[in-house]
């Protein structure tokens, strides 16, 4: 069975992998956040339940042989899309709440690692809401003759998925940068670990805004 030119199983598989990566990353980072354990557990339940709903709906639509995103063909398709949209907003807000709750408290990890965790979550939230913006305008691609990104096939211009991808993976790249900078500092290899984190974060934000601008550019001309 083929859905939107791809094998029906491919999209659920990609989302399952992405969800697994997000859950593993949050499992690593959340234990370092100085928040009340009960609050952390509540957020974990919200995130776990929400992501389970997402993958079930994506898989269910694939099993029906139809797309799960940007599909308004029937009342059922619109309802499923609405549930997915609301669910991912709730999940994103819950993850953001972890960072907001932790921000004013004292971390028990290296300051560079602590800063990178908060920055990673912050830009992950931005990336997630870029996905919500794509759904809100019911479009992800403006067809152009521009080059595509290897492997995934996304267009460099006129495609919001690249910016969405960049934003989401701040959750992995920035905390990993902070962790490595902290390790380097302890071993005498890095003199200013927080500076390293902020430099990488600044560069990452620049890439995020460039990809977002490229995505929206054809719609503005």
């Amino acid at each position: 069975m083929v859905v939107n030119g791809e094998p029906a199983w491919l999209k659920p598989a990609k989302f399952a992998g992405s969800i697994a990566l997000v859950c593993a990353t949050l499992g690593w980072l959340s234990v370092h956040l100085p928040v009340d354990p009960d609050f952390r557990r509540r957020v974990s339940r919200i995130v776990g339940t929400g992501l389970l709903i997402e993958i079930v709906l994506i898989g269910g639509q694939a099993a029906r042989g139809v797309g799960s995103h940007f599909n308004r063909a029937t009342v059922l398709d619109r309802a499923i899309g609405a549930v997915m949209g609301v669910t991912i907003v709730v999940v994103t807000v819950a993850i953001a709440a972890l960072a907001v709750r932790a921000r004013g408290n004292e971390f028990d990890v290296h300051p560079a690692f602590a800063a990178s965790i908060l920055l990673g979550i912050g830009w992950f939230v931005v990336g997630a809401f870029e996905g919500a913006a794509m759904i809100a305008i019911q479009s992800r691609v403006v067809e152009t003759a521009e080059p595509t990104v290897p492997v995934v096939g996304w267009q460099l211009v006129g495609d919001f998925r690249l910016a969405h991808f960049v934003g989401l993976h701040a959750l992995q790249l920035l905390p990993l940068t902070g962790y490595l900078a902290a390790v380097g500092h302890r071993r005498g290899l890095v003199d200013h670990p927080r500076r390293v984190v902020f430099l990488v974060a600044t560069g990452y934000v620049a890439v995020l805004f460039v990809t977002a601008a490229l995505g929206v550019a054809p719609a503005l001309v």
Side-chain angles (χ1 to χ4, degrees):
M1 184 186 299
V2 175
V3 178
N4 295 331
E6 297 180 337
W9 57 266
L10 184 57
K11 185 171 185 177
K14 289 191 294 186
F15 271 81
S18 178
I19 287 171
L21 180 60
V22 168
C23 290
T25 305
L26 289 174
W28 170 45
L29 299 179
S30 64
V31 296
H32 299 299
L33 292 170
V35 298
D36 180 75
D38 288 336
F39 179 74
R40 184 186 293 116
R41 281 192 290 271
R42 288 195 297 272
V43 170
S44 296
R45 293 189 187 106
I46 292 170
V47 171
T49 301
L51 294 178
L52 178 61
I53 291 171
E54 288 287 305
I55 195 61
V56 167
L57 292 177
I58 291 169
Q61 288 291 78
R64 293 177 59 226
V66 299
S68 50
H69 294 81
F70 314 104
N71 181 3
R72 299 178 61 83
T74 68
V75 173
L76 177 61
D77 293 324
R78 290 195 293 272
I80 289 173
V83 171
M84 290 175 60
V86 171
T87 299
I88 205 62
V89 168
V90 171
V91 167
T92 302
V93 170
I95 294 172
L98 273 176
V100 171
R101 184 69 66 93
R103 188 173 180 273
N105 299 327
E106 185 175 350
F107 282 75
D108 62 357
V109 296
H110 193 286
F113 187 30
S116 70
I117 292 173
L118 296 178
L119 287 168
I121 293 176
W123 289 111
F124 167 84
V125 170
V126 171
F129 278 111
E130 283 180 330
M134 287 193 298
I135 293 173
I137 63 175
Q138 290 298 312
S139 176
R140 65 173 186 263
V141 180
V142 176
E143 293 295 340
T144 71
E146 299 295 335
T148 59
V149 180
V151 182
V152 294
W154 300 335
Q155 295 175 187
L156 286 175
V157 178
D159 197 330
F160 295 93
R161 289 173 294 184
L162 184 56
H164 183 47
F165 176 89
V166 171
L168 291 182
H169 287 285
L171 187 65
Q172 287 84 38
L173 188 141
L174 295 183
L176 183 59
T177 297
Y179 175 79
L180 294 176
V183 170
H185 184 243
R186 292 192 181 101
R187 295 180 178 178
L189 302 174
V190 178
D191 292 330
H192 304 286
R194 280 172 60 90
R195 187 178 300 172
V196 170
V197 169
F198 287 116
L199 284 173
V200 172
T202 300
Y204 203 84
V205 170
V207 173
L208 177 60
F209 276 97
V210 167
T211 55
L214 290 173
V216 75
L220 301 178
V221 297

PDB file of all heavy atoms in Angstrom, residues 87-120:
ATOM      1  N   THR A  87      -3.382  17.527  20.713  1.00  0.00           N
ATOM      2  CA  THR A  87      -2.534  16.661  21.539  1.00  0.00           C
ATOM      3  C   THR A  87      -1.089  17.127  21.550  1.00  0.00           C
ATOM      4  O   THR A  87      -0.449  17.204  22.604  1.00  0.00           O
ATOM      5  CB  THR A  87      -2.599  15.211  21.026  1.00  0.00           C
ATOM      6  OG1 THR A  87      -3.945  14.747  21.105  1.00  0.00           O
ATOM      7  CG2 THR A  87      -1.710  14.296  21.865  1.00  0.00           C
ATOM      8  N   ILE A  88      -0.560  17.454  20.380  1.00  0.00           N
ATOM      9  CA  ILE A  88       0.856  17.842  20.337  1.00  0.00           C
ATOM     10  C   ILE A  88       1.070  19.206  20.987  1.00  0.00           C
ATOM     11  O   ILE A  88       2.139  19.466  21.555  1.00  0.00           O
ATOM     12  CB  ILE A  88       1.387  17.823  18.886  1.00  0.00           C
ATOM     13  CG1 ILE A  88       2.911  17.597  18.898  1.00  0.00           C
ATOM     14  CG2 ILE A  88       1.007  19.065  18.128  1.00  0.00           C
ATOM     15  CD1 ILE A  88       3.352  16.296  19.503  1.00  0.00           C
ATOM     16  N   VAL A  89       0.066  20.075  20.953  1.00  0.00           N
ATOM     17  CA  VAL A  89       0.173  21.350  21.671  1.00  0.00           C
ATOM     18  C   VAL A  89       0.245  21.101  23.171  1.00  0.00           C
ATOM     19  O   VAL A  89       1.072  21.690  23.880  1.00  0.00           O
ATOM     20  CB  VAL A  89      -1.002  22.276  21.320  1.00  0.00           C
ATOM     21  CG1 VAL A  89      -1.061  23.464  22.285  1.00  0.00           C
ATOM     22  CG2 VAL A  89      -0.870  22.795  19.896  1.00  0.00           C
ATOM     23  N   VAL A  90      -0.603  20.208  23.674  1.00  0.00           N
ATOM     24  CA  VAL A  90      -0.602  19.882  25.104  1.00  0.00           C
ATOM     25  C   VAL A  90       0.743  19.291  25.511  1.00  0.00           C
ATOM     26  O   VAL A  90       1.323  19.655  26.545  1.00  0.00           O
ATOM     27  CB  VAL A  90      -1.748  18.900  25.441  1.00  0.00           C
ATOM     28  CG1 VAL A  90      -1.625  18.380  26.868  1.00  0.00           C
ATOM     29  CG2 VAL A  90      -3.098  19.580  25.245  1.00  0.00           C
ATOM     30  N   VAL A  91       1.267  18.380  24.695  1.00  0.00           N
ATOM     31  CA  VAL A  91       2.574  17.770  24.981  1.00  0.00           C
ATOM     32  C   VAL A  91       3.666  18.832  25.010  1.00  0.00           C
ATOM     33  O   VAL A  91       4.515  18.854  25.922  1.00  0.00           O
ATOM     34  CB  VAL A  91       2.902  16.686  23.930  1.00  0.00           C
ATOM     35  CG1 VAL A  91       4.371  16.265  24.017  1.00  0.00           C
ATOM     36  CG2 VAL A  91       2.000  15.475  24.116  1.00  0.00           C
ATOM     37  N   THR A  92       3.657  19.719  24.032  1.00  0.00           N
ATOM     38  CA  THR A  92       4.695  20.755  23.952  1.00  0.00           C
ATOM     39  C   THR A  92       4.623  21.698  25.143  1.00  0.00           C
ATOM     40  O   THR A  92       5.656  22.056  25.725  1.00  0.00           O
ATOM     41  CB  THR A  92       4.547  21.538  22.639  1.00  0.00           C
ATOM     42  OG1 THR A  92       4.628  20.629  21.532  1.00  0.00           O
ATOM     43  CG2 THR A  92       5.640  22.583  22.508  1.00  0.00           C
ATOM     44  N   VAL A  93       3.420  22.101  25.519  1.00  0.00           N
ATOM     45  CA  VAL A  93       3.259  22.989  26.673  1.00  0.00           C
ATOM     46  C   VAL A  93       3.731  22.303  27.945  1.00  0.00           C
ATOM     47  O   VAL A  93       4.368  22.926  28.816  1.00  0.00           O
ATOM     48  CB  VAL A  93       1.793  23.449  26.796  1.00  0.00           C
ATOM     49  CG1 VAL A  93       1.560  24.163  28.124  1.00  0.00           C
ATOM     50  CG2 VAL A  93       1.425  24.363  25.634  1.00  0.00           C
ATOM     51  N   ALA A  94       3.455  21.011  28.075  1.00  0.00           N
ATOM     52  CA  ALA A  94       3.898  20.268  29.256  1.00  0.00           C
ATOM     53  C   ALA A  94       5.420  20.226  29.344  1.00  0.00           C
ATOM     54  O   ALA A  94       6.009  20.406  30.419  1.00  0.00           O
ATOM     55  CB  ALA A  94       3.332  18.848  29.221  1.00  0.00           C
ATOM     56  N   ILE A  95       6.083  20.004  28.210  1.00  0.00           N
ATOM     57  CA  ILE A  95       7.549  19.982  28.192  1.00  0.00           C
ATOM     58  C   ILE A  95       8.099  21.380  28.512  1.00  0.00           C
ATOM     59  O   ILE A  95       9.068  21.521  29.274  1.00  0.00           O
ATOM     60  CB  ILE A  95       8.064  19.489  26.830  1.00  0.00           C
ATOM     61  CG1 ILE A  95       7.682  18.016  26.632  1.00  0.00           C
ATOM     62  CG2 ILE A  95       9.577  19.665  26.730  1.00  0.00           C
ATOM     63  CD1 ILE A  95       7.971  17.489  25.238  1.00  0.00           C
ATOM     64  N   ALA A  96       7.476  22.407  27.940  1.00  0.00           N
ATOM     65  CA  ALA A  96       7.905  23.777  28.231  1.00  0.00           C
ATOM     66  C   ALA A  96       7.748  24.089  29.719  1.00  0.00           C
ATOM     67  O   ALA A  96       8.588  24.783  30.313  1.00  0.00           O
ATOM     68  CB  ALA A  96       7.096  24.761  27.395  1.00  0.00           C
ATOM     69  N   ALA A  97       6.690  23.554  30.337  1.00  0.00           N
ATOM     70  CA  ALA A  97       6.449  23.807  31.760  1.00  0.00           C
ATOM     71  C   ALA A  97       7.573  23.262  32.625  1.00  0.00           C
ATOM     72  O   ALA A  97       7.903  23.833  33.671  1.00  0.00           O
ATOM     73  CB  ALA A  97       5.115  23.192  32.184  1.00  0.00           C
ATOM     74  N   LEU A  98       8.182  22.160  32.212  1.00  0.00           N
ATOM     75  CA  LEU A  98       9.327  21.621  32.945  1.00  0.00           C
ATOM     76  C   LEU A  98      10.455  22.645  33.012  1.00  0.00           C
ATOM     77  O   LEU A  98      11.041  22.879  34.075  1.00  0.00           O
ATOM     78  CB  LEU A  98       9.840  20.355  32.262  1.00  0.00           C
ATOM     79  CG  LEU A  98       9.207  19.017  32.624  1.00  0.00           C
ATOM     80  CD1 LEU A  98       9.809  17.923  31.758  1.00  0.00           C
ATOM     81  CD2 LEU A  98       9.392  18.697  34.098  1.00  0.00           C
ATOM     82  N   ALA A  99      10.772  23.238  31.862  1.00  0.00           N
ATOM     83  CA  ALA A  99      11.855  24.218  31.817  1.00  0.00           C
ATOM     84  C   ALA A  99      11.505  25.476  32.605  1.00  0.00           C
ATOM     85  O   ALA A  99      12.342  26.037  33.320  1.00  0.00           O
ATOM     86  CB  ALA A  99      12.182  24.565  30.370  1.00  0.00           C
ATOM     87  N   VAL A 100      10.258  25.922  32.490  1.00  0.00           N
ATOM     88  CA  VAL A 100       9.832  27.127  33.208  1.00  0.00           C
ATOM     89  C   VAL A 100       9.904  26.897  34.710  1.00  0.00           C
ATOM     90  O   VAL A 100      10.398  27.749  35.471  1.00  0.00           O
ATOM     91  CB  VAL A 100       8.409  27.522  32.785  1.00  0.00           C
ATOM     92  CG1 VAL A 100       7.877  28.631  33.685  1.00  0.00           C
ATOM     93  CG2 VAL A 100       8.386  27.963  31.330  1.00  0.00           C
ATOM     94  N   ARG A 101       9.448  25.731  35.161  1.00  0.00           N
ATOM     95  CA  ARG A 101       9.478  25.411  36.585  1.00  0.00           C
ATOM     96  C   ARG A 101      10.914  25.299  37.106  1.00  0.00           C
ATOM     97  O   ARG A 101      11.197  25.673  38.250  1.00  0.00           O
ATOM     98  CB  ARG A 101       8.724  24.107  36.828  1.00  0.00           C
ATOM     99  CG  ARG A 101       8.599  23.694  38.286  1.00  0.00           C
ATOM    100  CD  ARG A 101       7.677  24.608  39.067  1.00  0.00           C
ATOM    101  NE  ARG A 101       6.306  24.515  38.611  1.00  0.00           N
ATOM    102  CZ  ARG A 101       5.390  23.681  39.163  1.00  0.00           C
ATOM    103  NH1 ARG A 101       5.746  22.870  40.139  1.00  0.00           N
ATOM    104  NH2 ARG A 101       4.145  23.690  38.716  1.00  0.00           N
ATOM    105  N   ALA A 102      11.812  24.793  36.265  1.00  0.00           N
ATOM    106  CA  ALA A 102      13.198  24.583  36.700  1.00  0.00           C
ATOM    107  C   ALA A 102      14.046  25.846  36.633  1.00  0.00           C
ATOM    108  O   ALA A 102      15.062  25.945  37.334  1.00  0.00           O
ATOM    109  CB  ALA A 102      13.837  23.498  35.833  1.00  0.00           C
ATOM    110  N   ARG A 103      13.640  26.785  35.818  1.00  0.00           N
ATOM    111  CA  ARG A 103      14.510  27.911  35.475  1.00  0.00           C
ATOM    112  C   ARG A 103      14.989  28.699  36.686  1.00  0.00           C
ATOM    113  O   ARG A 103      16.148  29.120  36.746  1.00  0.00           O
ATOM    114  CB  ARG A 103      13.775  28.839  34.509  1.00  0.00           C
ATOM    115  CG  ARG A 103      14.638  29.947  33.931  1.00  0.00           C
ATOM    116  CD  ARG A 103      13.891  30.706  32.855  1.00  0.00           C
ATOM    117  NE  ARG A 103      14.706  31.777  32.297  1.00  0.00           N
ATOM    118  CZ  ARG A 103      14.776  32.991  32.784  1.00  0.00           C
ATOM    119  NH1 ARG A 103      14.058  33.322  33.853  1.00  0.00           N
ATOM    120  NH2 ARG A 103      15.541  33.908  32.216  1.00  0.00           N
ATOM    121  N   GLY A 104      14.154  28.902  37.674  1.00  0.00           N
ATOM    122  CA  GLY A 104      14.547  29.717  38.827  1.00  0.00           C
ATOM    123  C   GLY A 104      15.183  28.944  39.956  1.00  0.00           C
ATOM    124  O   GLY A 104      15.503  29.521  41.001  1.00  0.00           O
ATOM    125  N   ASN A 105      15.381  27.632  39.768  1.00  0.00           N
ATOM    126  CA  ASN A 105      15.928  26.794  40.833  1.00  0.00           C
ATOM    127  C   ASN A 105      17.390  26.460  40.566  1.00  0.00           C
ATOM    128  O   ASN A 105      17.912  26.674  39.476  1.00  0.00           O
ATOM    129  CB  ASN A 105      15.110  25.502  40.956  1.00  0.00           C
ATOM    130  CG  ASN A 105      13.661  25.784  41.309  1.00  0.00           C
ATOM    131  OD1 ASN A 105      13.360  26.746  42.014  1.00  0.00           O
ATOM    132  ND2 ASN A 105      12.762  24.962  40.811  1.00  0.00           N
ATOM    133  N   GLU A 106      18.045  25.909  41.570  1.00  0.00           N
ATOM    134  CA  GLU A 106      19.468  25.601  41.462  1.00  0.00           C
ATOM    135  C   GLU A 106      19.663  24.187  40.925  1.00  0.00           C
ATOM    136  O   GLU A 106      19.186  23.208  41.510  1.00  0.00           O
ATOM    137  CB  GLU A 106      20.138  25.735  42.827  1.00  0.00           C
ATOM    138  CG  GLU A 106      21.637  25.539  42.783  1.00  0.00           C
ATOM    139  CD  GLU A 106      22.296  25.790  44.131  1.00  0.00           C
ATOM    140  OE1 GLU A 106      21.596  26.304  45.031  1.00  0.00           O
ATOM    141  OE2 GLU A 106      23.483  25.475  44.272  1.00  0.00           O
ATOM    142  N   PHE A 107      20.387  24.067  39.827  1.00  0.00           N
ATOM    143  CA  PHE A 107      20.685  22.768  39.234  1.00  0.00           C
ATOM    144  C   PHE A 107      21.826  22.098  40.000  1.00  0.00           C
ATOM    145  O   PHE A 107      22.682  22.779  40.579  1.00  0.00           O
ATOM    146  CB  PHE A 107      21.104  22.941  37.768  1.00  0.00           C
ATOM    147  CG  PHE A 107      19.974  23.182  36.815  1.00  0.00           C
ATOM    148  CD1 PHE A 107      19.349  24.417  36.759  1.00  0.00           C
ATOM    149  CD2 PHE A 107      19.545  22.177  35.963  1.00  0.00           C
ATOM    150  CE1 PHE A 107      18.308  24.649  35.863  1.00  0.00           C
ATOM    151  CE2 PHE A 107      18.518  22.396  35.063  1.00  0.00           C
ATOM    152  CZ  PHE A 107      17.897  23.635  35.018  1.00  0.00           C
ATOM    153  N   ASP A 108      21.841  20.757  39.953  1.00  0.00           N
ATOM    154  CA  ASP A 108      22.936  20.026  40.581  1.00  0.00           C
ATOM    155  C   ASP A 108      23.946  19.531  39.544  1.00  0.00           C
ATOM    156  O   ASP A 108      24.715  18.598  39.810  1.00  0.00           O
ATOM    157  CB  ASP A 108      22.401  18.847  41.402  1.00  0.00           C
ATOM    158  CG  ASP A 108      21.656  17.827  40.563  1.00  0.00           C
ATOM    159  OD1 ASP A 108      21.499  18.065  39.346  1.00  0.00           O
ATOM    160  OD2 ASP A 108      21.220  16.793  41.111  1.00  0.00           O
ATOM    161  N   VAL A 109      23.920  20.151  38.353  1.00  0.00           N
ATOM    162  CA  VAL A 109      24.866  19.800  37.301  1.00  0.00           C
ATOM    163  C   VAL A 109      25.691  21.028  36.953  1.00  0.00           C
ATOM    164  O   VAL A 109      25.414  22.140  37.412  1.00  0.00           O
ATOM    165  CB  VAL A 109      24.143  19.270  36.045  1.00  0.00           C
ATOM    166  CG1 VAL A 109      23.406  17.978  36.356  1.00  0.00           C
ATOM    167  CG2 VAL A 109      23.180  20.316  35.480  1.00  0.00           C
ATOM    168  N   HIS A 110      26.700  20.826  36.136  1.00  0.00           N
ATOM    169  CA  HIS A 110      27.566  21.927  35.705  1.00  0.00           C
ATOM    170  C   HIS A 110      26.723  23.042  35.078  1.00  0.00           C
ATOM    171  O   HIS A 110      25.782  22.774  34.337  1.00  0.00           O
ATOM    172  CB  HIS A 110      28.576  21.392  34.685  1.00  0.00           C
ATOM    173  CG  HIS A 110      29.700  22.327  34.397  1.00  0.00           C
ATOM    174  ND1 HIS A 110      29.536  23.467  33.625  1.00  0.00           N
ATOM    175  CD2 HIS A 110      31.015  22.302  34.766  1.00  0.00           C
ATOM    176  CE1 HIS A 110      30.687  24.099  33.533  1.00  0.00           C
ATOM    177  NE2 HIS A 110      31.608  23.413  34.210  1.00  0.00           N
ATOM    178  N   PRO A 111      27.044  24.306  35.367  1.00  0.00           N
ATOM    179  CA  PRO A 111      26.244  25.423  34.811  1.00  0.00           C
ATOM    180  C   PRO A 111      26.120  25.399  33.291  1.00  0.00           C
ATOM    181  O   PRO A 111      25.079  25.791  32.748  1.00  0.00           O
ATOM    182  CB  PRO A 111      27.024  26.659  35.277  1.00  0.00           C
ATOM    183  CG  PRO A 111      27.711  26.216  36.524  1.00  0.00           C
ATOM    184  CD  PRO A 111      28.076  24.781  36.298  1.00  0.00           C
ATOM    185  N   ALA A 112      27.163  24.946  32.590  1.00  0.00           N
ATOM    186  CA  ALA A 112      27.079  24.878  31.127  1.00  0.00           C
ATOM    187  C   ALA A 112      26.052  23.848  30.692  1.00  0.00           C
ATOM    188  O   ALA A 112      25.277  24.077  29.748  1.00  0.00           O
ATOM    189  CB  ALA A 112      28.446  24.530  30.536  1.00  0.00           C
ATOM    190  N   PHE A 113      26.018  22.721  31.362  1.00  0.00           N
ATOM    191  CA  PHE A 113      25.041  21.684  31.049  1.00  0.00           C
ATOM    192  C   PHE A 113      23.637  22.160  31.389  1.00  0.00           C
ATOM    193  O   PHE A 113      22.681  21.965  30.625  1.00  0.00           O
ATOM    194  CB  PHE A 113      25.388  20.399  31.799  1.00  0.00           C
ATOM    195  CG  PHE A 113      24.547  19.205  31.437  1.00  0.00           C
ATOM    196  CD1 PHE A 113      24.009  19.062  30.161  1.00  0.00           C
ATOM    197  CD2 PHE A 113      24.316  18.208  32.370  1.00  0.00           C
ATOM    198  CE1 PHE A 113      23.236  17.949  29.831  1.00  0.00           C
ATOM    199  CE2 PHE A 113      23.553  17.095  32.047  1.00  0.00           C
ATOM    200  CZ  PHE A 113      23.006  16.963  30.782  1.00  0.00           C
ATOM    201  N   ALA A 114      23.493  22.824  32.545  1.00  0.00           N
ATOM    202  CA  ALA A 114      22.180  23.346  32.941  1.00  0.00           C
ATOM    203  C   ALA A 114      21.645  24.341  31.916  1.00  0.00           C
ATOM    204  O   ALA A 114      20.467  24.277  31.511  1.00  0.00           O
ATOM    205  CB  ALA A 114      22.286  24.008  34.316  1.00  0.00           C
ATOM    206  N   ALA A 115      22.511  25.256  31.481  1.00  0.00           N
ATOM    207  CA  ALA A 115      22.083  26.251  30.495  1.00  0.00           C
ATOM    208  C   ALA A 115      21.687  25.586  29.189  1.00  0.00           C
ATOM    209  O   ALA A 115      20.694  25.973  28.545  1.00  0.00           O
ATOM    210  CB  ALA A 115      23.205  27.256  30.254  1.00  0.00           C
ATOM    211  N   SER A 116      22.438  24.570  28.796  1.00  0.00           N
ATOM    212  CA  SER A 116      22.149  23.902  27.522  1.00  0.00           C
ATOM    213  C   SER A 116      20.834  23.128  27.575  1.00  0.00           C
ATOM    214  O   SER A 116      20.134  23.021  26.564  1.00  0.00           O
ATOM    215  CB  SER A 116      23.297  22.959  27.146  1.00  0.00           C
ATOM    216  OG  SER A 116      23.357  21.835  28.011  1.00  0.00           O
ATOM    217  N   ILE A 117      20.488  22.586  28.734  1.00  0.00           N
ATOM    218  CA  ILE A 117      19.204  21.888  28.872  1.00  0.00           C
ATOM    219  C   ILE A 117      18.047  22.858  28.647  1.00  0.00           C
ATOM    220  O   ILE A 117      17.110  22.576  27.894  1.00  0.00           O
ATOM    221  CB  ILE A 117      19.092  21.224  30.254  1.00  0.00           C
ATOM    222  CG1 ILE A 117      20.091  20.074  30.383  1.00  0.00           C
ATOM    223  CG2 ILE A 117      17.669  20.706  30.480  1.00  0.00           C
ATOM    224  CD1 ILE A 117      20.168  19.479  31.784  1.00  0.00           C
ATOM    225  N   LEU A 118      18.118  24.013  29.307  1.00  0.00           N
ATOM    226  CA  LEU A 118      17.043  25.000  29.161  1.00  0.00           C
ATOM    227  C   LEU A 118      16.968  25.537  27.738  1.00  0.00           C
ATOM    228  O   LEU A 118      15.873  25.706  27.184  1.00  0.00           O
ATOM    229  CB  LEU A 118      17.252  26.141  30.152  1.00  0.00           C
ATOM    230  CG  LEU A 118      17.168  25.766  31.643  1.00  0.00           C
ATOM    231  CD1 LEU A 118      17.439  26.981  32.509  1.00  0.00           C
ATOM    232  CD2 LEU A 118      15.803  25.172  31.969  1.00  0.00           C
ATOM    233  N   LEU A 119      18.117  25.801  27.128  1.00  0.00           N
ATOM    234  CA  LEU A 119      18.122  26.283  25.743  1.00  0.00           C
ATOM    235  C   LEU A 119      17.592  25.219  24.793  1.00  0.00           C
ATOM    236  O   LEU A 119      16.823  25.522  23.869  1.00  0.00           O
ATOM    237  CB  LEU A 119      19.544  26.680  25.339  1.00  0.00           C
ATOM    238  CG  LEU A 119      20.092  27.972  25.954  1.00  0.00           C
ATOM    239  CD1 LEU A 119      21.588  28.078  25.714  1.00  0.00           C
ATOM    240  CD2 LEU A 119      19.369  29.184  25.371  1.00  0.00           C
ATOM    241  N   GLY A 120      17.982  23.974  25.013  1.00  0.00           N
ATOM    242  CA  GLY A 120      17.510  22.892  24.149  1.00  0.00           C
ATOM    243  C   GLY A 120      16.003  22.731  24.206  1.00  0.00           C
ATOM    244  O   GLY A 120      15.339  22.594  23.173  1.00  0.00           O
TER     245      GLY A 120
END
